[in-house]
C-alpha cells in the first residue's frame, strides 16, 4: 500500500501514524504505550498505542519498525522520525533537502524536487516518489564498512 502524506522529520524522535491512516489500514491491533508524547510546544498527548513491525519500503529497501499511533487530525498520515532514519542507515541534510542511504551495494540519493523549482532536478525524468526523485549515486562504488584502521 502506498501511504500518501508521508514526511520524514529528522527532528522527531518517534515515527508516528495518524489514527485516520491506522483506521484506513483496518485498525490492526496495537500494543499498549504508557509514554506520553511531548511536542515542540511542550504540549503532551497520550498515543493510542504502538503498531508493531510495520514494513516501510523506500526505493526498494524495506525495513520493519514499530510506529506510534496518535489520535486526531494531523497534517500528514505517516511521520518518519529519527528511529526510521537510523533503521535505514540514512544520512539526511535538511539544508540541502537530501537523504542518502545504502541499498544493495550502492548509495541511493533522494532529493526534494520542490525545493529546486526550475532546475534540472525538478525537470528530470527520473522516477518520482512523493515529491522526491531517486537516483543511484554510483553503481561502480559499492558501500563498504569503514576500515578499522581509519
Amino acid at each position: 500500500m502506498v501511504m500518501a502524506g508521508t514526511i520524514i522529520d529528522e527532528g522527531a524522535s518517534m515515527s508516528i501514524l495518524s489514527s485516520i491512516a491506522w483506521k484506513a489500514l483496518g485498525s490492526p491491533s496495537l500494543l499498549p504505550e504508557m509514554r506520553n508524547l511531548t511536542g515542540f510546544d511542550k504540549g503532551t498527548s497520550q498515543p493510542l498505542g504502538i503498531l508493531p513491525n510495520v514494513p516501510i519500503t523506500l526505493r526498494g529497501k524495506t525495513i520493519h519498525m514499530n510506529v506510534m499511533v496518535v489520535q486526531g487530525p494531523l497534517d500528514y498520515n505517516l511521520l518518519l522520525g529519527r528511529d526510521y532514519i537510523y533503521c535505514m542507515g540514512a544520512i539526511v541534510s535538511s539544508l540541502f533537502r537530501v537523504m542518502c542511504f545504502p541499498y544493495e551495494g550502492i548509495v541511493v540519493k533522494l532529493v526534494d524536487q520542490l525545493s529546486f523549482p526550475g532546475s534540472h532536478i525538478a525537470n528530470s525524468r527520473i522516477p518520482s516518489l512523493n515529491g522526491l526523485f531517486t537516483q543511484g549515486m554510483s553503481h561502480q562504488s559499492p558501500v563498504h564498512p569503514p576500515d578499522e584502521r581509519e
Side-chain angles (χ1 to χ4, degrees):
M1 164 184 236
V2 173
M3 182 69 65
T6 298
I7 63 170
I8 298 172
D9 182 352
E10 62 190 306
S13 60
M14 295 287 304
S15 293
I16 298 171
L17 181 68
S18 74
S19 59
I20 294 167
W22 170 68
K23 289 174 185 172
L25 294 172
S27 303
S29 298
L30 299 175
L31 300 174
E33 177 57 54
M34 297 300 130
R35 296 176 293 171
N36 285 331
L37 286 175
T38 303
F40 68 91
D41 63 353
K42 301 295 183 201
T44 61
S45 64
Q46 175 65 41
L48 297 176
I50 300 289
L51 185 58
N53 206 29
V54 176
I56 301 172
T57 303
L58 181 61
R59 187 66 171 125
K61 183 174 182 177
T62 301
I63 60 158
H64 291 80
M65 59 180 290
N66 296 343
V67 177
M68 189 175 287
V69 178
V70 297
Q71 183 66 42
L74 303 173
D75 292 338
Y76 50 83
N77 288 318
L78 177 62
L79 179 142
L80 299 171
R82 285 191 307 266
D83 55 346
Y84 171 76
I85 293 168
Y86 296 150
C87 286
M88 284 291 285
I91 297 180
V92 177
S93 170
S94 55
L95 176 63
F96 295 106
R97 300 188 59 112
V98 173
M99 181 171 117
C100 300
F101 59 88
Y103 178 61
E104 293 186 347
I106 64 168
V107 174
V108 177
K109 178 180 178 182
L110 302 173
V111 178
D112 182 355
Q113 287 181 354
L114 303 177
S115 297
F116 304 102
S119 72
H120 72 282
I121 294 171
N123 298 321
S124 170
R125 294 183 185 256
I126 297 173
S128 182
L129 177 65
N130 281 348
L132 299 172
F133 83 78
T134 57
Q135 168 187 0
M137 290 179 67
S138 172
H139 292 282
Q140 279 99 12
S141 301
V143 177
H144 296 289
D147 190 336
E148 291 178 355
R149 293 170 287 172
E150 292 180 9

